[in-house]
């Protein structure tokens, strides 16, 4: 049974034809493995093998000498639903359908599609589009629809216009995502598998085509007496309209001719917002008329999951899960809401408010498309970023508004000193990349943000060094020449403020991503409580007083001069960072509360520890704070400091008059912290959502800890529950 | 391949296995020698869900968990479309049958 005499016919795709393959297979020749001329002579050894294997000792491996456990780790485990992609598929033995074959057999039609078919196909392609944006491959979603293989052959005008627009939608969505590059492999598959996205059909032409179809459909809808299928016509019309509106909205957002602040179309009264609202209206109709389309399992949809199987890499999952139509429409609805939020970026001209906006937006876990659009709107040209003067100017303004370094206020001598100017400009230029990265980081998914934060700390550590040097140089200069306003630690404080925020984000993200065990909470919260928030408060206070100083200095200057009024004057005595400082103190107190509470839970045996032989708290501590270890300012805190400070705190609180330690006092101390947080929250003017949530957390924890301090459930060893459902970083403590 | 050939042709009862830089004398049982003779040969394993895996045998243990390298997956015994999986571990409890390719020996 030698195969050497076989001449293998190869068809024009470069593949072996199906018939040939079948023949070869019958001969025992597998054509699809690397060398097609292999012959096998299979001998059954099932019984023998298992009996022999049983003679091995427990845990003993019989293995090839070139093969080790290290390699074994990368093996795919078969029949494991998480690893084995081929396991779950519902296999069919039907040959893969192509468009031509489907038309031949009458399943698909070029023309004469009835309304239900068109509605069904459109809905299905829209679901595929969502499935793609949410991380599946184009080849298994949008391009698996056979109608999209030959959009120009379709005679039915609504469907043809839609299919062409589907390509254009893929193109524009891809453009946003590729440009922003805030995705990872788990978010998105950028491959388009050689499909041309019809660049020769222009945006105007696409929209024009859809408009024509719309007019035609509305004419049919207006016919009197009303057509019996009026409802279906309406349903189709709403879909065409929706697609046109969404496509043109994306087109407008994609035009990057200017900075977001000056783009009128982002403002809430623009055409863009009207279109978005109209999109929502069409979606409501669409969601109510899903049933008018042919069902998702109908072959008439032209969806052939295996259509592009050969284009995919071999270890690819065989099938992508396509979203249901209902889910897809919910996605579009949410997308429109998110796009409305994204547009608000125009009102955040200053870097600090923009950064807050990005962080807040990211907290809502938006989809990749909206994340990308926000990035693209704010940072229009990623290629020229590093030298971009715009970034430097934005940062100059940011530093100025944060702490107002004398070097940046034009009236001082510093501005006319070329050496000083060069140092400051150089410093700001160096700031560009890390700060842009900070903005970009906010566009990534939440899990990836954590690792990026850790990397960014290194860059900020370098910036800190430079900032301190620039500060020292400028301070020297000012103390010699002017002596009016010192330049001590201006840039340094500004960078420190951001470094601290990154450190805090890093630690808090561990709670959100559920990385910490309960028995680790105490030192995480300790670090936040004793250091990070404390330092944040002091850096803010410093910025605060420097700003006030500058203000009074300016006032004096002004009264001496022409008496020209400054444009915006803050009310006297109103500290510019009062709100931020109070909020940081709230966080600090909350962390203090958790720190003391978790410690007390541990001491009273309510939180269990891993068995000591498998555990070393010091190692875990060092691992958790590893990214901080290379920083100079702020200095990293070692484990010894944690244990010393904890011990002395405990002695101070719990041990009175050489008696045995009383841990209820520790609960009481935690309770005080929550009380303090609550008091601070209650005096905050104009509370927002965050403040209200924190208030609820602080109040509840206050009550719980008061109960604990009073000896409630003293004898129970059931561990407390930390409920993160209200706030992802600050849990509500629950007793069961 | 040379090792296995050597093993199958000569009745060596013991061989040197290096283990953490330490030469240990291991006496091989005839069962192990037989198992070892299949190493690096192509196995065709049918799994409990009907799929067929073909790949080079690298490793096994007492429960017949098997590691195959350069493995190809076929959806059923008549399927012609292979999917290359690379390195796979097949749990022993999911193995229905094992075939070894002895085409070299018969040739």
């Amino acid at each position: 049974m030698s195969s050497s005499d076989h001449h293998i016919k190869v068809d024009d795709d470069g593949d072996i034809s199906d018939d040939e393959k079948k023949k070869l297979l019958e001969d025992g020749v597998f054509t699809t493995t690397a060398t097609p001329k292999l012959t096998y002579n299979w001998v059954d050894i099932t019984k023998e093998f298992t009996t022999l294997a049983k003679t091995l000792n427990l845990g003993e491996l019989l293995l090839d000498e070139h093969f080790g456990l290290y390699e074994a780790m990368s093996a795919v485990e078969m029949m494991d639903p998480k690893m084995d992609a081929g396991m779950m598929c519902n296999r069919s033995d039907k040959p893969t359908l192509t468009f031509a074959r489907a038309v031949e057999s009458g399943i698909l039609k070029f023309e004469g599609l009835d309304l239900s078919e068109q509605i069904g196909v459109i809905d299905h392609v829209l679901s595929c589009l969502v499935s793609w944006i949410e991380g599946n491959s184009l080849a298994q979603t949008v391009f698996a629809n056979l109608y999209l293989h030959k959009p120009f052959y379709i005679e039915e005008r609504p469907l043809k216009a839609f299919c062409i627009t589907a390509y254009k939608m893929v193109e524009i969505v891809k453009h946003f995502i590729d440009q922003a590059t805030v995705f990872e492999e788990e978010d998105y598959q950028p491959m388009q598998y050689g499909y041309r996205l019809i660049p020769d059909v222009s945006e105007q032409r696409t929209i024009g085509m859809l408009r024509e179809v719309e007019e035609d459909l509305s004419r049919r809808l207006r016919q009197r007496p009303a057509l019996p299928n009026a409802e279906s016509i309406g349903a189709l019309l709403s879909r065409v309209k929706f697609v046109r509106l969404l496509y043109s909205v994306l087109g407008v957002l994609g035009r990057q001719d200017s900075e977001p602040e000056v783009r009128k179309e982002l403002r809430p009264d623009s055409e863009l917002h009207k279109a978005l609202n109209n999109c929502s209206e069409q979606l409501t109709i669409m969601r109510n008329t899903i049933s008018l389309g042919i069902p998702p399992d109908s072959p008439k949809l032209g969806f052939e999951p295996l259509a592009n199987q050969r284009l995919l890499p071999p270890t690819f999952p065989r099938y992508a899960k396509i979203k249901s139509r209902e889910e897809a429409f919910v996605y579009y609805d949410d997308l429109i809401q998110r796009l409305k939020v994204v547009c608000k970026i125009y009102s955040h001209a200053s870097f600090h408010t923009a950064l807050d906006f990005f962080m807040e937006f990211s907290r809502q876990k938006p989809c990749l498309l909206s994340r990308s659009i926000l990035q693209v709107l704010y940072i229009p040209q990623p290629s020229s970023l590093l030298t971009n003067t715009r970034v430097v100017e934005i940062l100059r303004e940011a530093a100025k508004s944060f702490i107002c370094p004398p070097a940046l206020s034009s009236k001082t001598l510093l501005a006319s000193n070329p050496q000083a100017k060069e140092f400051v400009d150089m410093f700001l230029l160096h700031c560009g990349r890390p700060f842009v990265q900070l903005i970009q980081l906010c566009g990534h998914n939440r899990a990836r943000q954590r690792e990026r934060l850790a990397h960014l700390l290194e860059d900020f550590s370098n910036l800190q060094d430079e900032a301190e040097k620039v500060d020292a140089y400028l301070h020297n200069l000012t103390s010699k020449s002017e002596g009016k306003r010192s330049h001590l630690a201006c840039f340094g404080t500004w960078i420190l403020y951001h470094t601290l925020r990154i450190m805090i984000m890093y630690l808090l993200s561990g709670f959100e991503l559920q990385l910490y065990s309960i028995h680790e909470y105490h030192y995480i919260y300790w670090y936040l409580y004793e250091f990070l928030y404390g330092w944040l408060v002091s850096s803010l206070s410093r910025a605060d007083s420097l700003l006030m100083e500058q203000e009074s200095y300016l006032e004096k200057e002004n009264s001496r001069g022409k008496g020209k009024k400054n444009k915006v004057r803050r009310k006297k005595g109103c500290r510019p960072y009062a709100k931020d400082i109070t909020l940081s103190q709230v966080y600090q107190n909350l962390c203090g509360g958790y720190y003391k509470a978790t410690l007390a839970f541990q001491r009273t045996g309510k939180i269990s520890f891993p068995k000591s032989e498998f555990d070393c708290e010091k190692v875990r501590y060092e691992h958790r704070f590893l990214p901080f270890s290379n920083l100079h300012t702020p200095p990293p805190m070692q484990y010894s400091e944690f244990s010393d400070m904890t011990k002395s705190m405990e002695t101070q609180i719990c041990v009175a008059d050489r008696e045995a330690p009383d841990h209820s006092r520790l609960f009481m101390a935690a309770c005080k912290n929550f009380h303090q947080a609550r008091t601070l929250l209650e005096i905050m003017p104009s509370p927002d959502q965050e403040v209200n949530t924190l208030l609820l957390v602080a109040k509840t924890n206050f009550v719980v800890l008061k109960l604990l301090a009073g000896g409630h459930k003293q004898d129970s060893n059931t561990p407390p529950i930390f409920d993160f459902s209200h706030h992802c970083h600050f849990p509500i403590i629950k007793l069961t | 391949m040379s090792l296995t050939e050597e093993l199958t042709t000569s009745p060596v009862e013991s061989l040197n296995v290096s283990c953490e830089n330490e030469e240990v004398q291991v006496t091989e049982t005839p069962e192990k020698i037989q198992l070892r003779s299949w190493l690096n040969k192509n196995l065709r394993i049918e799994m409990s869900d009907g799929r067929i895996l073909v790949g080079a045998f690298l490793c096994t243990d007492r429960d017949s968990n098997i590691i195959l390298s350069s493995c190809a997956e076929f959806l059923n015994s008549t399927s012609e479309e292979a999917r290359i999986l690379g390195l796979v571990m097949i749990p022993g409890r999911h193995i229905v049958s094992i075939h070894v390719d002895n085409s070299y020996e018969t040739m």
Side-chain angles (χ1 to χ4, degrees), chain A residues 24 60 127 156 312 340 471 483 641 662 711:
Chain A
L24 289 169
E60 183 183 4
S127 319
E156 198 67 39
L312 296 172
K340 284 184 191 166
D471 279 336
E641 271 153 299
D662 178 6

Side-chain angles (χ1 to χ4, degrees), chain B:
Chain B
M1 201 48 107
S2 62
L3 176 77
T4 38
E5 268 164 16
E6 202 178 282
L7 279 169
T8 46
T9 48
S10 61
V12 205
E13 288 292 301
S14 67
L15 88 164
N16 290 329
V17 178
S18 80
C19 170
E20 289 178 8
N21 305 329
E22 202 185 327
E23 294 281 303
V24 187
Q25 279 282 316
V26 182
T27 318
E28 291 266 284
T29 58
E31 289 90 348
K32 268 198 207 166
I33 290 169
Q34 179 56 46
L35 278 175
R36 209 171 271 285
S37 75
W38 289 321
L39 278 179
N40 287 313
K41 290 205 172 149
N42 275 318
L43 291 193
R44 180 179 185 273
I45 293 178
E46 188 184 344
M47 290 201 298
S48 51
D49 69 344
R51 277 181 295 166
I52 311 282
L53 300 172
V54 177
F57 174 44
L58 282 183
C59 178
T60 190
D61 68 356
R62 192 162 81 158
D63 302 319
S64 298
N65 299 317
I66 293 177
I67 298 184
L68 298 182
S69 77
S70 325
C71 183
E73 171 202 71
F74 300 87
L75 287 184
N76 50 53
S77 51
T78 54
S79 167
E80 64 216 58
E81 198 183 344
R83 192 167 68 121
I84 309 297
L85 296 179
L87 195 65
V88 300
M89 197 281 276
I90 308 128
R93 62 179 187 285
H94 287 299
I95 293 176
V96 174
S97 75
I98 308 169
H99 288 74
V100 71
D101 173 33
N102 68 352
S103 46
Y104 289 99
E105 275 139 60
T106 52
M107 249 150 67

Side-chain angles (χ1 to χ4, degrees), chain A residues 52-58 60 62, chain B residues 32 35 60-62:
Chain A
L52 289 172
K54 283 208 181 79
T55 65
L56 296 169
N57 292 322
L58 180 64
E60 183 183 4
L62 182 116
Chain B
K32 268 198 207 166
L35 278 175
T60 190
D61 68 356
R62 192 162 81 158

